[in-house]
């Protein structure tokens, strides 16, 4: 049974995906947790930036398209004031553009970090398994005791991870004591 203490995974019992990991001494160094979390933060920032830019582009393209349509301001469109319909259309175009952002941001992140992408994906799989193991049962949540970040989406540093673990333990303690 192979056990790596630094990451806490028993490879004999791990999923087949994790058993195929090769550790080469001649290859690049394995990604540590600090580097992984920094890459995770970078990927999130790239996706949000791409979403904002594509949202603005979508709203601009919609505005450009609607500006070329001749509309009678006194005649309602489907029973609504034409100004409201135009504003709603521009907002819808911006929202659709915002949703397209990660479709552009994720390949940019993968292209930028292609040298460590394989190790990043392995570390991501291990991280998500740790989140699954340590997250709380949300059935006992309330307004006074909300669930702490169920999917671990806001964990971008070891400090954030430790705080998330403390929050999960506090949630468990409160749900045991008050229910």
């Amino acid at each position: 049974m192979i056990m790596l203490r630094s990451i806490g995974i028993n490879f004999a019992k791990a999923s087949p995906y994790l058993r195929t990991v090769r550790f080469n001494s001649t290859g690049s160094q394995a990604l540590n947790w600090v580097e992984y979390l920094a890459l995770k933060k970078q990927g999130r920032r790239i996706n949000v930036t791409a979403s904002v830019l594509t949202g603005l582009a979508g709203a601009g393209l919609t505005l450009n398209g609607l500006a070329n349509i001749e509309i009678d301001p006194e005649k309602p469109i489907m029973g609504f004031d034409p100004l409201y319909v135009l504003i709603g259309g521009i907002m819808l175009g911006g929202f659709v553009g915002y949703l397209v952002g990660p479709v552009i941001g994720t390949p940019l992140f993968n292209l930028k970090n292609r040298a460590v992408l394989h190790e990043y994906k392995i570390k991501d799989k291990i991280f998500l398994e740790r989140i699954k193991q340590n997250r709380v049962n949300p059935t006992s949540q309330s307004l006074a005791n909300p669930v702490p970040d169920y999917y671990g989406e806001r964990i971008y540093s070891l400090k954030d991870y430790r705080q998330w673990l403390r929050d999960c333990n506090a949630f468990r303690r409160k749900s045991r004591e008050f229910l």
Side-chain angles (χ1 to χ4, degrees):
M1 231 187 310
I2 300 171
M3 179 71 172
L4 292 175
R5 295 183 192 275
S6 64
I7 58 176
I9 297 293
N10 182 349
F11 279 100
K13 296 179 182 177
S15 67
Y17 178 74
L18 292 176
R19 279 188 243 145
T20 61
V21 175
R22 285 184 21 198
F23 294 100
N24 293 338
S25 60
T26 58
S28 64
Q29 295 293 327
L31 205 60
N32 64 27
W33 286 109
V34 175
E35 293 167 348
Y36 162 74
L37 291 169
L39 282 174
K40 183 179 173 206
K41 188 176 195 177
Q42 179 189 37
R44 174 76 174 148
R45 285 183 176 167
I46 288 173
N47 280 340
V48 168
T49 303
S51 290
V52 168
L53 293 176
T54 56
L56 291 172
L61 288 173
T62 306
L63 178 63
N64 188 26
L66 292 176
N68 294 327
I69 298 173
E70 190 172 323
I71 297 174
D72 184 13
E74 294 179 0
K75 189 175 180 186
I77 300 173
M78 294 182 290
F80 294 104
D81 185 52
L83 185 62
Y84 292 147
V85 173
L86 292 176
I87 291 173
I90 294 168
M91 289 175 64
L92 182 64
F95 179 72
V96 170
Y98 187 83
L99 292 178
V100 171
V103 174
I104 296 170
T106 301
L108 284 175
F109 172 77
N110 292 344
L111 185 65
K112 183 176 180 185
N113 299 301
R114 65 180 173 262
V116 294
L117 190 61
H118 181 69
E119 289 129 8
Y120 174 79
K121 288 185 179 184
I122 291 170
K123 213 49 135 170
D124 196 40
K125 180 86 171 160
I126 294 168
F127 177 75
L128 293 175
E129 285 182 7
R130 284 183 177 214
I131 294 295
K132 270 195 259 181
Q133 287 174 351
N134 293 317
R135 70 175 152 209
V136 296
N137 185 3
T139 56
S140 59
Q141 74 176 341
S142 66
L143 289 175
N145 193 20
V147 174
D149 194 14
Y150 189 74
Y151 296 104
E153 295 170 329
R154 284 173 255 144
I155 299 174
Y156 295 118
S157 68
L158 291 176
K159 181 182 174 187
D160 293 342
Y161 180 69
R162 289 184 193 113
Q163 183 61 48
W164 179 79
L165 287 174
R166 285 192 292 272
D167 292 344
C168 288
N169 287 332
F171 179 87
R172 284 187 194 97
R173 187 184 71 249
K174 286 180 186 176
S175 62
R176 248 191 341 252
E177 291 174 0
F178 297 117
L179 290 180

